[in-house]
Amino acid sequence: MIFAYNKEHVGDVLMVIAADDKGQENAVERKGNVARVCVAEGNQVVAWNIFEASTIVGNIEGNGQVELTEEQLKKVNEELANVGFSETLVKENNPKMVIGFVKSCKKHPDSDHLSITQTEVDNGEVLQIVCGAPNIKAGQKVVVAKPGAMMPDGLMIWPGVLRGVESFGMICSAGELRLPDAPAKKGILELPFDAVIGEAFPVGK
């Protein structure tokens, strides 16, 4: 579950992304300052919008993806209950932007520029990730945006299929991470080999 806030461009609205709607038509139900967004067919909840957010939860620090304190999350859930929704929002504590290790890398059978990697992201957890960077290779320490991550530009990362091959995340470049002095040349960011697999990567720092 991702929490996002951008007062300058969106207004005083806390946006909560719960799932990928996969391009399906959405239905919105609003009660007071809370809007629940569901897939129209099946009623799966994919997002929540909390209006007048700073009045409800207090000051929200950051722009883009933000972290709520336990007290702020409690206030959000109290607001949901007060307006008549039965759901409870739960904050995920595992990081979505992490240091990974490319265990294997092979050419995509149906592309001249894509590669299929098996990338370890934490304690033996390995994700298959299709990558288009020209400098991707086995043995690298890299930054991985796991499914459910929000990139600095607001792009959400979900599982997908690239040229018929499933992909469960994205291996990131310095530019995609909005790092200062990111090179213009295309390619993933390669980290020092002593970087710790599974450790959260501080985006934009």
Side-chain angles (χ1 to χ4, degrees):
M1 189 168 287
I2 294 291
F3 299 90
Y5 186 75
N6 190 329
K7 189 171 185 178
E8 180 180 354
H9 295 287
V10 181
D12 191 15
V13 182
L14 177 66
M15 296 166 285
V16 185
I17 298 95
D20 182 10
D21 66 7
K22 299 180 181 178
Q24 299 176 81
E25 182 179 353
N26 291 336
V28 180
E29 180 183 5
R30 180 164 176 173
K31 298 179 181 181
N33 282 324
V34 180
R36 179 175 62 188
V37 183
C38 297
V39 173
E41 185 175 343
N43 292 323
Q44 179 192 12
V45 178
V46 293
W48 298 86
N49 289 327
I50 315 298
F51 300 93
E52 305 297 334
S54 61
T55 302
I56 295 169
V57 306
N59 182 50
I60 300 174
E61 295 186 3
N63 185 45
Q65 185 174 352
V66 296
E67 292 290 333
L68 298 188
T69 66
E70 293 297 334
E71 182 62 26
Q72 287 176 321
L73 183 60
K74 179 182 177 182
K75 290 179 178 179
V76 169
N77 282 320
E78 288 174 348
E79 185 69 16
L80 264 65
N82 288 340
V83 300
F85 288 111
S86 61
E87 292 91 341
T88 299
L89 305 188
V90 179
K91 182 170 65 171
E92 295 182 27
N93 293 319
N94 57 316
K96 296 295 187 182
M97 198 75 67
V98 301
I99 295 168
F101 174 68
V102 182
K103 299 187 73 173
S104 69
C105 180
K106 64 180 182 180
K107 289 297 183 182
H108 191 296
D110 192 33
S111 171
D112 59 2
H113 72 281
L114 295 176
S115 298
I116 303 170
T117 76
Q118 302 296 324
T119 301
E120 184 177 354
V121 292
D122 191 22
N123 291 324
E125 179 188 1
V126 176
L127 299 178
Q128 177 169 285
I129 300 175
V130 179
C131 179
N135 63 328
I136 186 72
K137 61 184 179 181
Q140 292 172 317
K141 293 284 182 72
V142 295
V143 180
V144 176
K146 296 167 67 175
M150 175 182 278
M151 300 298 293
D153 64 359
L155 174 70
M156 291 295 302
I157 304 300
W158 302 112
V161 178
L162 294 174
R163 294 285 185 90
V165 175
E166 290 184 314
S167 182
F168 299 92
M170 184 171 78
I171 299 175
C172 305
S173 70
E176 289 164 336
L177 295 167
R178 298 286 176 88
L179 298 182
D181 303 319
K185 186 178 179 180
K186 291 184 178 181
I188 54 100
L189 174 67
E190 187 171 1
L191 301 176
F193 199 74
D194 60 357
V196 179
I197 300 170
E199 191 172 279
F201 186 83
V203 178
K205 302 296 178 67

